[in-house]
Amino acid sequence: MEGNVATRSPLTIPILAWLLGIIIANYLPLPPVLFFLVFTALLLLAFSNYFRTFIIIMLCVLLGLFHNSDKKPLNHIKHIIKHNQSFLQPIEGRISSEVVKEKSKYRFILDLNTIDYVKVTGKINFTTFQDSLEYGDIINTVARVRKIPKNSNPSSFNYEEFLSAKDIYAQGYPKTIIRIEDKASALFKRNIFKIRKFFRKRIEDRFGEYSGLIKTIVIGDKDHKSEWRSLLTKAGLSHLLAVSGLHVGIIALVLMIILQIIIPYKNVCRMILVVILFIYAAICLWSPSVTRAAIMISMYLLAKILQRKLDINNVLLLSLLLITVFNPDQLFSIGLQMSFMAVFVLLNILPKVNFIKFRKEDLKLMKFSKKLLNGILILVLTSLILNIFLAPLTMYYFNQFNFNGLLGNILGIPLISVILPLSLLIIFFPNFELILSIFQNSFKGLTIIFKAWANIASKIPFYFNFVSINLFQLFTLYLLLILIFYWQRWKIRFYWKTGITIILAFLFMWLGDHHEDKMKFTFFDCGSVGDLFLIETSNDQSILIDSGPPDSFEKSALPYFQKNGLKKLDWVLITHAHNDHYGGLKYILENIEVKNLIITDEFQSRTIWSDLKVKENCRILTVRDTMHLNLKSLKFKILHPNCIYEDDNINNLSIVNRIDYKQFSLLFTGDLEKEGEEYLLELYPEFLDCDFLKIGHHGSKTSSSKNFLKTVSPEYAFIPTSLHNRFNFPHKETLTKLEFLDDQLYIAGKDGALQITTDGNTAHFQTYLTQREFIDTDLDR
């Protein structure tokens, strides 16, 4: 592996130029003509001996630009849905994906032909309860077509952006019977999906409770991996929970051994294996890692047949070129980036690390125990270097990095190397129950060991999941890593090497400094009825008011916590004992450091309290009367309930608190109803007038009385509820009373999350679903 990669790999320059064109087309809106003129000017200035190189670069960049052009015709669904975000019309189209059953529903991609009998183009996601549909069917029905919703919470997964990368811009639901008009002639894909269906059925029949795991590692069925995801992620073994290059390599090796037993001619075996590998890549829906591995192994086999020597970096670059030619958007796929980075490190970085090596003569004389220790050492060091180089990507995309795999891989990789071929044997073995049961019991035993080992690895404290870096830090970190690993090859003095390294390290830290001397309030959209609000103070304190309904915190707020490195909460306040307010508390107490927990004595009397595991270093404050919290940057006053208030209605025992930050004031009322509001009006009317009101009880007609709203007289308000729920919140009566707020009333189900950033004198309001922005420049009025 000595020598410069670019010099030894003639494909490097044109392919990097091609990728540059794709990146520019995605991130810089430069017209291709302008880009062409710039490069022409560079060519005129170039020396003659570089002319050919510049021509290659220019052509490849332009190819990337034109190939990745996002221009759509006017009759494309992208433009139609932009101007009419929901419509009910007769549609016709062709099913262009696998029809996947999820519980009682069937999902697929529909390639549109017509809408209301007018020619259109583009794809939509389609969901139906009707069965007997398959790839290639041309269907028509009357359907409700809707725009794909934007992410409604800050830092949450952008489903709209994810689907648009696949050229999908809307979702459809049939309102009449779906009629099959014709079947398109697509035998290869139709048969591929039949094979996937066979695999699913066979795996479900023969693997029982482990079927989800096997569907994931054999055919890349990602919908069934959630039960194992958390465990293997913490164990540093998440790379085994996907069909990766490792899996393809194991399968290729096993198949080659079997083919050589059956067929005596090696080259024939190699050609058959090439065909099988590409069929397998199609079965895995051309996953980037599987496609990359299939291309690289096939190139190696073809080189053996032709008796040619391969440049392995050329093979890697060629596989990248082939994948991005057919689908340029794959360049921005996390799977592709992780896969190619791992292989690049194995080919170019790893050989430069001086492992403990032995000559063949020494290895022959070594005892088995020493050989085993040597193998373990190589595996650990390989895992360490791979983890170091993959960590920037996992921090950027997933807000985490993990070195537990240093231990996990020692046994995890050998186990999966046996479990995978054994799984294939169980899938394809005939129905001889006695022999099949032996294989199945062996599989169960190995899987139990694998799971137990993953549990051990997951307990190691080298898993960090509240870290985040930006794009500039990502590139700076990779530059720093490459410089460190190529330290010996720098042709400059030691002090220059050290200086550049220190500068890059400081640049990395400086780029990550996002501190602002402002207060930030985030009102999350829980996806249903529920309160979940975060306050970040100007002196880096964090306060959470309620935790949303069960399972909502992980979906709505956790991505924001991870993206912003919020791994501790100074204060958590639970207003009352209803699970749409305390539902996420169990997860928070188990995964986030909580310094102070504020609850009512009524909450402590509930069964749920005994189920919660509050850590010893968390101080519990029980609200029995009005009180102030000692916070430096703001005033935090708890108004309700006081020591003499009694009510059988839990909602009226909600903690009501007021926050003042300079000229900006907010009132949080939990689920307080009219009786509780009247009590506050009698005792503390002077504390109720504020700028912003969190509307009580999700907009129920039992809250927000006229007198209460008149006294509070808010300029802005937020209702934490979806628009479609079993309670019909927000009630019309409440919305009528809030009409005076006009467009300064925000509803989670309509506007998504609301984020307010303020310096105490001005406030910036931003919604995440409707993407409204407003700046109030005069809070002191």
Side-chain angles (χ1 to χ4, degrees):
M1 291 295 170
E2 295 299 324
N4 185 276
V5 175
T7 303
R8 294 186 304 108
S9 302
L11 284 175
T12 302
I13 291 175
I15 290 177
L16 290 179
W18 158 263
L19 299 178
L20 178 64
I22 295 174
I23 293 169
I24 291 171
N26 272 268
Y27 292 111
L28 296 177
L30 290 177
V33 174
L34 176 60
F35 205 80
F36 178 84
L37 292 173
V38 171
F39 262 82
T40 303
L42 288 172
L43 282 174
L44 294 173
L45 296 172
F47 294 106
S48 58
N49 56 324
Y50 292 114
F51 186 79
R52 187 179 300 171
T53 301
F54 271 102
I55 284 287
I56 292 171
I57 292 174
M58 184 187 70
L59 289 176
C60 289
V61 169
L62 288 174
L63 278 172
L65 282 166
F66 283 115
H67 194 111
N68 207 50
S69 176
D70 195 34
K71 293 180 180 177
K72 306 292 182 188
L74 292 177
N75 66 337
H76 194 277
I77 186 64
K78 178 182 180 180
H79 299 299
I80 295 169
I81 206 71
K82 184 178 180 180
H83 300 292
N84 194 353
Q85 298 196 0
S86 178
F87 56 83
L88 183 67
Q89 292 288 354
I91 66 170
E92 182 181 279
R94 181 177 64 86
I95 298 176
S96 59
S97 73
E98 181 183 16
V99 179
V100 180
K101 185 177 182 181
E102 295 178 6
K103 297 181 180 178
S104 59
K105 295 179 180 179
Y106 296 86
R107 300 182 187 276
F108 53 85
I109 296 171
L110 188 66
D111 203 341
L112 293 169
N113 293 332
T114 63
I115 295 177
D116 195 20
Y117 310 106
V118 176
K119 180 69 177 176
V120 296
T121 60
K123 300 174 184 176
I124 64 173
N125 265 355
F126 210 80
T127 305
T128 178
F129 290 99
Q130 191 172 328
D131 59 3
S132 303
L133 300 171
E134 58 181 15
Y135 173 83
D137 288 350
I138 297 173
I139 64 172
N140 70 56
T141 183
V142 175
R144 170 66 65 182
V145 179
R146 292 195 182 99
K147 191 177 188 296
I148 295 163
K150 299 179 183 295
N151 52 318
S152 63
N153 285 295
S155 304
S156 65
F157 177 67
N158 194 328
Y159 190 56
E160 180 192 38
E161 188 178 278
F162 171 75
L163 289 180
S164 66
K166 298 183 176 184
D167 203 29
I168 300 169
Y169 294 95
Q171 51 195 7
Y173 311 89
K175 295 298 181 181
T176 61
I177 296 293
I178 296 174
R179 293 190 299 274
I180 300 174
E181 295 295 325
D182 196 4
K183 291 183 178 290
S185 57
L187 287 177
F188 178 74
K189 276 197 173 182
R190 195 184 289 267
N191 288 326
I192 287 295
F193 292 137
K194 284 181 179 178
I195 294 171
R196 277 181 67 86
K197 190 174 181 181
F198 162 79
F199 271 108
R200 277 203 194 94
K201 182 70 169 61
R202 195 78 157 190
I203 290 168
E204 287 166 359
D205 291 342
R206 294 192 170 185
F207 290 89
E209 63 179 300
Y210 299 106
S211 62
L213 172 65
I214 301 307
K215 279 187 277 190
T216 301
I217 66 173
V218 171
I219 59 173
D221 204 337
K222 297 180 182 179
D223 295 332
H224 301 276
K225 70 177 184 181
S226 57
E227 57 187 305
W228 287 84
R229 183 190 302 158
S230 177
L231 173 62
L232 295 189
T233 297
K234 289 180 180 178
L237 297 172
S238 58
H239 61 98
L240 301 180
L241 198 60
V243 186
S244 64
L246 172 66
H247 297 65
V248 179
I250 293 168
I251 292 170
L253 181 62
V254 172
L255 286 174
M256 193 63 186
I257 293 170
I258 295 169
L259 286 170
Q260 286 182 332
I261 294 170
I262 300 169
I263 302 169
Y265 306 105
K266 279 190 175 182
N267 284 347
V268 174
C269 295
R270 288 164 179 158
M271 289 303 299
I272 292 171
L273 184 55
V274 169
V275 174
I276 292 173
L277 284 174
F278 280 97
I279 291 173
Y280 183 61
I283 291 169
C284 293
L285 304 180
W286 302 105
S287 161
S289 57
V290 178
T291 307
R292 190 264 313 152
I295 293 172
M296 293 188 72
I297 294 171
S298 297
M299 291 294 292
Y300 170 79
L301 293 171
L302 290 172
K304 285 287 185 182
I305 294 170
L306 299 172
Q307 297 183 345
R308 296 290 183 87
K309 191 175 180 180
L310 277 181
D311 183 326
I312 198 66
N313 275 302
N314 266 345
V315 175
L316 180 64
L317 288 167
L318 182 61
S319 63
L320 181 59
L321 176 65
L322 290 173
I323 291 170
T324 54
V325 161
F326 285 102
N327 186 358
D329 288 322
Q330 284 285 14
L331 182 61
F332 306 99
S333 159
I334 301 168
L336 181 138
Q337 292 174 13
M338 298 281 284
S339 176
F340 277 87
M341 176 58 71
V343 177
F344 176 82
V345 170
L346 289 172
L347 296 179
N348 297 281
I349 303 295
L350 205 61
K352 302 191 182 304
V353 179
N354 292 319
F355 287 108
I356 300 174
K357 295 180 180 179
F358 298 93
R359 294 175 301 174
K360 287 184 178 180
E361 295 79 11
D362 297 329
L363 287 170
K364 288 177 182 178
L365 297 172
M366 284 175 67
K367 292 182 179 179
F368 173 77
S369 58
K370 289 185 177 180
K371 290 179 182 178
L372 181 63
L373 286 172
N374 184 55
I376 290 172
L377 178 62
I378 291 172
L379 187 59
V380 169
L381 289 174
T382 301
S383 297
L384 175 63
I385 293 168
L386 279 174
N387 277 318
I388 288 171
F389 273 86
L390 291 176
L393 284 173
T394 59
M395 284 191 287
Y396 180 70
Y397 287 114
F398 306 115
N399 308 121
Q400 62 183 28
F401 68 92
N402 192 350
F403 287 100
N404 288 352
L406 298 182
L407 175 66
N409 284 322
I410 292 173
L411 197 54
I413 289 177
L415 280 171
I416 209 72
S417 299
V418 179
I419 289 171
L420 181 58
L422 183 57
S423 302
L424 294 173
L425 183 60
I426 293 170
I427 291 169
F428 290 108
F429 200 80
N431 287 319
F432 300 140
E433 290 189 10
L434 180 61
I435 301 175
L436 192 60
S437 64
I438 294 172
F439 292 150
Q440 288 172 325
N441 288 331
S442 301
F443 165 81
K444 286 180 182 177
L446 288 170
T447 308
I448 288 168
I449 295 170
F450 178 68
K451 192 170 186 178
W453 180 253
N455 270 305
I456 293 169
S458 68
K459 300 294 191 298
I460 304 172
F462 297 137
Y463 170 62
F464 307 93
N465 64 336
F466 285 87
V467 291
S468 175
I469 60 174
N470 56 44
L471 189 61
F472 296 106
Q473 286 180 299
L474 177 72
F475 286 114
T476 305
L477 194 52
Y478 271 122
L479 183 58
L480 186 61
L481 286 173
I482 290 170
L483 291 176
I484 290 171
F485 274 85
Y486 280 85
W487 180 276
Q488 295 297 331
R489 302 184 67 187
W490 291 16
K491 304 300 181 184
I492 56 175
R493 294 183 181 276
F494 175 80
Y495 57 82
W496 278 110
K497 294 178 184 180
T498 307
I500 293 170
T501 305
I502 292 171
I503 289 169
L504 281 172
F506 273 107
L507 182 63
F508 172 78
M509 291 185 287
W510 177 74
L511 288 168
D513 187 10
H514 299 296
H515 179 75
E516 290 183 290
D517 188 23
K518 291 183 179 180
M519 189 81 68
K520 187 180 289 183
F521 300 86
T522 306
F523 298 79
F524 291 98
D525 174 16
C526 295
S528 59
V529 174
D531 282 20
L532 176 53
F533 318 124
L534 174 69
I535 301 144
E536 299 166 86
T537 71
S538 56
N539 60 346
D540 294 328
Q541 283 192 310
S542 52
I543 307 161
L544 191 74
I545 299 178
D546 284 329
S547 59
D551 300 325
S552 70
F553 180 84
E554 297 96 307
K555 296 175 184 176
S556 55
L558 183 60
Y560 181 82
F561 275 60
Q562 292 175 328
K563 188 71 176 175
N564 292 277
L566 288 171
K567 53 188 176 183
K568 73 174 181 67
L569 286 164
D570 296 282
W571 302 87
V572 173
L573 185 153
I574 303 297
T575 56
H576 64 294
H578 280 158
N579 73 350
D580 59 325
H581 293 254
Y582 70 73
L585 184 58
K586 184 177 181 182
Y587 179 90
I588 291 167
L589 292 173
E590 290 175 356
N591 296 277
I592 297 173
E593 179 188 351
V594 177
K595 291 187 175 181
N596 301 280
L597 177 62
I598 305 172
I599 52 175
T600 61
D601 51 1
E602 195 279 332
F603 184 80
Q604 288 178 299
S605 68
R606 296 279 167 174
T607 306
I608 182 63
W609 177 248
S610 59
D611 295 335
L612 297 171
K613 296 178 182 178
V614 182
K615 295 177 183 177
E616 291 183 2
N617 59 349
C618 176
R619 185 168 63 114
I620 299 171
L621 280 77
T622 305
V623 175
R624 295 189 176 91
D625 206 345
T626 56
M627 60 188 291
H628 288 273
L629 296 186
N630 186 22
L631 300 175
K632 294 179 182 179
S633 57
L634 55 80
K635 295 177 182 178
F636 195 107
K637 182 175 180 64
I638 294 176
L639 302 174
H640 185 78
N642 64 20
C643 57
I644 60 172
Y645 185 81
E646 293 182 1
D647 200 311
D648 294 331
N649 184 348
I650 296 176
N651 287 337
N652 282 323
L653 297 176
S654 294
I655 295 175
V656 177
N657 65 281
R658 177 190 172 101
I659 294 175
D660 288 270
Y661 178 61
K662 298 180 182 178
Q663 304 300 324
F664 192 49
S665 56
L666 305 91
L667 188 67
F668 296 83
T669 58
D671 278 356
L672 195 72
E673 298 190 3
K674 292 177 181 176
E675 297 81 8
E677 291 173 353
E678 289 172 3
Y679 188 76
L680 283 175
L681 287 170
E682 290 177 12
L683 267 69
Y684 308 114
E686 69 276 16
F687 291 114
L688 298 181
D689 183 19
C690 65
D691 300 303
F692 185 97
L693 173 65
K694 196 289 296 184
I695 299 296
H697 201 188
H698 318 289
S700 170
K701 60 186 177 183
T702 60
S703 299
S704 304
S705 63
K706 288 183 178 179
N707 287 338
F708 185 75
L709 291 176
K710 183 178 179 181
T711 303
V712 176
S713 63
E715 295 287 332
Y716 311 94
F718 181 81
I719 306 179
T721 180
S722 59
L723 295 182
H724 304 285
N725 54 75
R726 61 193 179 99
F727 306 105
N728 292 319
F729 293 152
H731 289 151
K732 289 183 179 179
E733 295 91 328
T734 303
L735 293 176
T736 301
K737 286 183 283 187
L738 293 170
E739 284 180 349
F740 69 93
L741 290 170
D742 198 19
D743 61 352
Q744 291 172 351
L745 171 66
Y746 302 93
I747 304 173
K750 177 170 69 76
D751 296 293
L754 169 67
Q755 196 164 63
I756 307 170
T757 306
T758 177
D759 60 3
N761 300 307
T762 63
H764 175 260
F765 293 75
Q766 179 182 2
T767 63
Y768 280 82
L769 195 57
T770 51
Q771 295 187 327
R772 290 197 287 154
E773 287 193 66
F774 171 75
I775 298 176
D776 188 337
T777 57
D778 184 19
L779 292 173
D780 185 20
R781 57 177 181 270

